[in-house]
Amino acid sequence: MPRVSERVSDGDLIQRVGTGDRSAFEALYRRFARPVLGLALRRLGDRGRAEDALQETFTSVWRSASTYKPERGPGAPWLYAVARNAIVDRGRSRAEAPADPPEEEAIEPGPPEQAEAAWISWRVHRALEELPEHERTVLELAYWSGLSQSEVATFLDIPLGTVKTRTRSALARLAGILEEELQ
Amino acid sequence: MTSRPPDLRELVGDDVPPDELARLGRVHDLLVQAGPPPELPAELAEPPQATGSVSVLPRRRWRTIAALAAALALAAFGIGWLAAAARDSGGESLPKVEFRVPMQGTGAAPHAVASIAVLELDDAGNWPMAMTVRGLPSLPAGERYQLWLTEDGKLIASCGTFHAEGETVVYLNAPFRLRGKGWAVTREGSKQLLMRTSTI
């Protein structure tokens, strides 16, 4: 199966999904599955329901990608809105019907600070998925495993200098990705 | 395991120009604020089937399918691993052991001990494993033990089921990220832990 280049924009992928392109759908899933699950966990606080919301989000994406209008904005916010609607639906009911896609962005429930925090997590987690695996691994170990740099080096069996180089490279790459999205 | 935010200078070293350090610092703050992304469970590693009309599988079915797939993968891996071992009878080309994790019996199986040898990551991104276990009580015919991946003490994904008689070597597979996780053994269909590892 042809792999979709990571350089393809989210919006392009969504448009291709709208034409029934399965490989684009898989690429989109690879980029957004963890951010969607993270958003759902943050909102629902329950792993099982969050996993349901993840499935429903991508079912809705497959079904409604053809309605995506690139001139109305980039792909990530559109997918964020689809995910948020699926999560809200899952929070209201345990019905199995997939969520419908939004016509426009839904109004964010809850305090603005929570919405901002959720959006930041979404952006950061989405950006992490764009890093090369060796850089993402180092970053995740450095920030969320509790390991020191020396312990990360030992764990990965690479020199300490390589850990620092990869960390710096990963942060710089993330800065580039996030600055583009912030424009 | 603690998750104290790391020090940026410690992460990137002291030779970073001020402008770049400020830029990296903004990303650093965002990472700390965002917190860790969740790991996907094995059954959600792939997107929902999307050919023509799409339907969401109830999670129980996902888990059933995942368990079946895991069993098939286990069988295939065991056969493949053994075939490779037989082909390389000198042992020179056997997969390298990345690390070993000891496993102790709980109060429910105090005499059980095991060692999980985690082999080098394969091309598909799986962690092949060989678990040597002994001291588990014999089970009635038709019953099996089950190895689980655990996170924060909870069973999160099955790595396969196995029989154990005396000292037994079981070949399994973990298509997951292993950081922050551990393993546990139960009787299939039971949640009572018989053996467990510490978190890796």
Side-chain angles (χ1 to χ4, degrees), chain A residues 29 47 55 62 143 145 164, chain B residues 1 10 28 39 44 50 62:
Chain A
Y29 188 84
R47 181 113 196 157
Q55 289 187 67
W62 175 258
Y143 276 87
S145 74
K164 289 186 183 297
Chain B
M1 189 170 283
E10 182 188 335
H28 170 84
E39 298 293 340
L44 294 178
W62 271 98

Side-chain angles (χ1 to χ4, degrees), chain A residues 22 29 34 38 47-48 51-52 55 59 62 120-121 125 136 140-141 143-146 149 155 164 168 175, chain B residues 1-2 10-11 20 23 27-28 33-35 37-39 41 44 48 50 52 54 56 59 62-63 177 179:
Chain A
R22 171 75 191 180
Y29 188 84
R34 292 173 80 200
R47 181 113 196 157
E51 291 175 6
D52 286 344
Q55 289 187 67
T59 300
W62 175 258
I120 287 174
S121 293
H125 294 165
R136 187 170 65 232
E140 291 188 358
L141 287 173
Y143 276 87
W144 300 305
S145 74
Q149 294 270 280
F155 180 78
K164 289 186 183 297
R168 182 171 167 179
Chain B
M1 189 170 283
T2 63
E10 182 188 335
L11 290 180
E20 184 184 352
R23 185 167 178 255
V27 179
H28 170 84
Q33 185 177 347
E39 298 293 340
L44 294 178
V54 186
V56 176
R59 274 187 300 117
W62 271 98
R63 296 199 190 288
R177 295 184 184 203
R179 185 76 238 157

Side-chain angles (χ1 to χ4, degrees), chain A residues 112-130:
Chain A
E113 306 82 52
Q114 288 182 6
E116 176 65 15
W119 175 239
I120 287 174
S121 293
W122 167 272
R123 276 202 335 251
V124 172
H125 294 165
R126 161 68 187 88
L128 279 170
E129 298 300 319
E130 282 207 40

Side-chain angles (χ1 to χ4, degrees), chain B residues 169-182:
Chain B
V169 180
V170 188
Y171 301 102
L172 302 146
N173 210 356
F176 316 100
R177 295 184 184 203
L178 300 181
R179 185 76 238 157
K181 300 190 175 63

Side-chain angles (χ1 to χ4, degrees), chain A residues 3-168:
Chain A
R3 297 266 297 186
V4 175
S5 166
E6 291 296 325
R7 292 176 185 171
V8 178
S9 74
D10 299 329
D12 287 344
L13 281 180
I14 293 170
Q15 285 186 287
R16 287 171 56 179
V17 171
T19 66
D21 185 334
R22 171 75 191 180
S23 66
F25 184 62
E26 290 175 353
L28 204 62
Y29 188 84
R30 282 195 297 275
R31 286 185 187 183
F32 283 98
R34 292 173 80 200
V36 170
L37 184 59
L39 186 65
L41 280 169
R42 179 185 284 260
R43 290 295 177 79
L44 298 172
D46 175 88
R47 181 113 196 157
R49 293 166 75 195
E51 291 175 6
D52 286 344
L54 169 62
Q55 289 187 67
E56 289 169 5
T57 296
F58 279 89
T59 300
S60 288
V61 167
W62 175 258
R63 205 175 57 187
S64 62
S66 60
T67 68
Y68 166 68
K69 303 277 192 302
E71 63 273 17
R72 294 176 64 178
W78 181 87
L79 209 148
Y80 180 78
V82 174
R84 205 173 46 192
N85 281 7
I87 292 163
V88 169
D89 283 355
R90 179 51 54 177
R92 287 182 186 136
S93 162
R94 299 188 68 88
E96 295 295 339
D100 286 327
E103 286 296 322
E104 296 179 4
E105 280 202 21
I107 298 171
E108 186 74 36
E113 306 82 52
Q114 288 182 6
E116 176 65 15
W119 175 239
I120 287 174
S121 293
W122 167 272
R123 276 202 335 251
V124 172
H125 294 165
R126 161 68 187 88
L128 279 170
E129 298 300 319
E130 282 207 40
L131 297 182
E133 178 71 28
H134 65 277
E135 289 185 359
R136 187 170 65 232
T137 299
V138 165
L139 218 52
E140 291 188 358
L141 287 173
Y143 276 87
W144 300 305
S145 74
L147 298 180
S148 69
Q149 294 270 280
S150 299
E151 290 168 334
V152 171
T154 302
F155 180 78
L156 295 175
D157 196 21
I158 57 178
L160 177 59
T162 304
V163 172
K164 289 186 183 297
T165 303
R166 287 183 184 177
T167 303
R168 182 171 167 179

